[in-house]
């Protein structure tokens, strides 16, 4: 059921809306004049990410764990709730699976009941350690089902399966996007993701930790580009379900990122190497042909521009005074 509010705005539920990506999505939707209901249990998200929205008359926050049933009358659901960084999703892997499986069933049950469109924020991790590059949506992946990342990778794969089965069996109007590494302000300081790690280490004058030899590549998409892709996906006609890759196809080695961060922060920190964690993929690069063709979407923000934004954010967050550099100690 579509409930039109004044000015053609929609009621939109964002699960995981207090997280890094979810909070930017809430900002975007509010700015478009929509009425946003943010549901989050604050496991890896924070009220700080949505504090500026809490007094907004079109914004509502509900603290709720989506592995428990939830009901609301909305027109669209963006389903993002799930811890995204290994530190967070491996903290309680069983909970991660519950969030992905029971949480997605709850959201699909809701979408079915109220006949709303639902978008799942899936992940490039469904490709596991891929044997084809770049990864197209048709690639089925190479995932370890019993490893320490499986709660997340396999959890998201089941979430995608659930989306497709609710669509085929019950005609639920679904959209699936597979998000590749995304960065931007409001990434958590201590979540162990490579960009936040490097920036925080550089600003604190600590060594930058590169796992492995640093030749493994990643492609990083700035959060505003990603949010635009998600919104475009929800705006497509109802025959198109996806999955669609959303990410930046420009690959950089981890070492290149570390060097870029050192240059932009003007830090004198050094780069140190540590053993690669288990199941860490060597390469990850999206083929975004589908997004280009179906959504007329491609990332716009170049890496150095995005990095500058995040560095500014973390400087403020750390209240960064000039840090003592290793050379000047003692
Ligand atoms: N950031 C990336 O690079 C990336 C890449 C691929 C996919 N994704 C997906 O995008 C989504 C958002 O990721 P993010 O980077 O913003 O992560 P995040 O951890 O910052 O945000 C996830 C949010 O979900 C909330 N949450 C977790 N479990 C919940 C539960 N059971 N009930 C209610 N809320 C719950 C958390 O508190 C948090 O606010 C996730 O689904 C993630 O898998 C992110």
């Amino acid at each position: 059921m579509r409930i039109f509010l004044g000015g053609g705005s929609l009621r939109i539920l964002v699960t995981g809306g207090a997280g890094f990506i979810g909070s930017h999505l809430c900002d975007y939707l509010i700015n478009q004049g929509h009425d946003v209901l943010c549901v989050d249990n604050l496991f890896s998200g924070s009220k700080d990410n949505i504090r500026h929205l809490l007094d907004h008359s079109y914004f509502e926050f509900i603290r709720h764990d989506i592995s428990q049933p939830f009901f609301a009358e909305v027109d669209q659901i963006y389903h993002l709730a799930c811890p995204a960084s290994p530190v967070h999703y491996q903290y309680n892997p069983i909970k991660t699976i519950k969030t992905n499986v029971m949480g997605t069933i709850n959201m699909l049950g809701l979408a079915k009941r109220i006949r709303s469109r639902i978008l799942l924020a899936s992940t490039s991790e469904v490709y596991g350690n891929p044997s084809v590059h770049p990864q197209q949506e048709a690639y089925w992946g190479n995932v370890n089902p019993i490893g320490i990342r499986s709660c997340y990778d396999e959890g998201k794969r089941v979430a995608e399966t659930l989306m497709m089965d609710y669509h085929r069996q019950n005609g639920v109007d679904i959209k699936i996007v597979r998000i590749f590494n995304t960065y931007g302000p409001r990434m958590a300081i201590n979540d162990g993701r490579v960009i936040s790690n490097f920036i925080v280490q550089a600003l604190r004058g600590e060594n930058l930790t590169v796992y492995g030899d640093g030749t493994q590549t990643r492609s990083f998409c700035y959060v505003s580009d990603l949010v635009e892709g998600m919104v475009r996906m929800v705006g497509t006609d109802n025959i198109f379900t996806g999955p669609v890759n959303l990410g930046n196809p420009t690959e950089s080695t981890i070492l290149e990122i570390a060097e870029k961060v050192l240059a932009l922060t003007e830090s004198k920190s050094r780069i140190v190497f540590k053993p690669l964690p288990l199941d860490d993929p060597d390469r990850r690069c999206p083929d975004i042909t589908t997004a280009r063709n179906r959504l007329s979407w491609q990332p716009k923000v170049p890496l150095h521009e995005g990095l500058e934004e995040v560095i500014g954010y973390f400087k403020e967050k750390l209240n960064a005074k000039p840090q003592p550099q290793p050379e000047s100690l003692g």
Side-chain angles (χ1 to χ4, degrees):
M1 179 171 48
R2 288 166 75 82
I3 306 158
F4 284 102
L5 304 168
S9 64
L10 299 170
R11 287 189 60 181
I12 302 179
L13 168 60
V14 179
T15 75
F20 157 50
I21 297 173
S23 62
H24 286 280
L25 176 64
C26 290
D27 284 344
Y28 184 99
L29 297 172
I30 288 280
N31 285 336
Q32 295 290 305
H34 298 299
D35 194 293
V36 173
L37 176 56
C38 164
V39 171
D40 199 300
N41 68 351
L42 301 181
F43 170 68
S44 53
S46 161
K47 268 195 183 172
D48 286 342
N49 291 339
I50 50 166
R51 196 169 300 285
H52 58 289
L53 293 174
L54 291 175
D55 289 333
H56 197 290
S57 49
Y58 280 5
F59 183 79
E60 203 178 336
F61 169 68
I62 297 177
R63 188 191 287 223
H64 177 80
D65 184 329
I66 52 121
S67 60
Q68 302 299 322
F70 180 79
F71 182 80
E73 286 281 356
V74 292
D75 305 297
Q76 294 176 351
I77 302 170
Y78 287 78
H79 177 35
L80 278 70
C82 175
S85 79
V87 187
H88 288 139
Y89 70 65
Q90 286 166 13
Y91 174 76
N92 184 345
I94 295 171
K95 177 72 195 174
T96 302
I97 297 173
K98 282 186 182 167
T99 296
N100 274 315
V101 177
M102 289 148 79
T104 304
I105 290 175
N106 286 331
M107 287 306 119
L108 280 162
L110 177 64
K112 177 185 164 196
R113 184 165 165 195
I114 61 175
R115 298 206 182 116
S116 78
R117 180 164 286 188
I118 177 169
L119 171 133
L120 170 72
S122 184
T123 171
S124 56
E125 301 288 332
V126 299
Y127 299 123
N129 194 350
S131 48
V132 298
H133 295 283
Q135 290 86 53
Q136 291 179 340
E137 290 86 353
Y139 177 54
W140 289 354
N142 175 31
V143 178
N144 176 358
I146 55 169
I148 56 169
R149 299 170 74 106
S150 313
C151 59
Y152 182 73
D153 304 2
E154 296 287 24
K156 287 284 186 182
R157 286 168 71 96
V158 175
E160 286 198 12
T161 308
L162 285 164
M163 292 283 286
M164 291 308 299
D165 283 335
Y166 268 77
H167 174 66
R168 284 185 287 249
Q169 197 174 326
N170 299 119
V172 173
D173 183 2
I174 63 151
K175 305 279 170 192
I176 302 172
V177 290
R178 290 183 180 153
I179 301 170
F180 284 65
N181 283 332
T182 301
Y183 72 106
R186 301 188 197 144
M187 279 187 294
I189 284 191
N190 294 323
D191 69 2
R193 288 192 242 195
V194 65
I195 288 195
S196 46
N197 254 13
F198 284 166
I199 293 177
V200 171
Q201 287 171 330
L203 291 176
R204 286 183 171 150
E206 295 165 0
N207 291 334
L208 271 63
T209 325
V210 168
Y211 294 96
D213 62 4
T215 55
Q216 69 274 34
T217 66
R218 292 292 182 274
S219 56
F220 292 97
C221 184
Y222 192 65
V223 66
S224 60
D225 283 333
L226 176 77
V227 164
E228 199 192 311
M230 291 168 85
V231 172
R232 279 179 186 236
M233 181 61 178
V234 168
T236 53
D237 62 51
N238 58 6
I239 316 157
F240 184 56
T241 60
V244 173
N245 289 338
L246 291 180
N248 195 325
T250 314
E251 272 180 286
S252 311
T253 68
I254 296 293
L255 207 51
E256 281 165 357
I257 312 265
E259 282 158 359
K260 234 175 216 157
V261 167
L262 286 181
L264 289 170
T265 52
E266 297 178 353
S267 169
K268 296 210 166 47
S269 299
R270 296 196 187 94
I271 296 173
V272 294
F273 296 88
K274 287 201 176 161
L276 208 57
L278 279 179
D279 289 342
D280 199 48
D282 313 323
R283 259 186 100 185
R284 196 45 84 53
C285 180
D287 180 324
I288 59 163
T289 311
T290 312
R292 280 202 175 103
N293 292 342
R294 303 296 298 251
L295 315 180
S296 307
W297 177 89
Q298 62 180 21
K300 291 183 247 170
V301 182
L303 186 62
H304 67 272
E305 248 175 56
L307 284 177
E308 277 173 359
E309 290 295 318
V310 189
I311 289 167
Y313 169 78
F314 278 126
K315 268 188 185 161
E316 222 170 90
K317 196 92 183 153
L318 295 170
N319 197 13
K321 304 175 188 86
Q323 300 291 321
Q325 303 300 320
E327 276 77 4
S328 63
L329 292 176

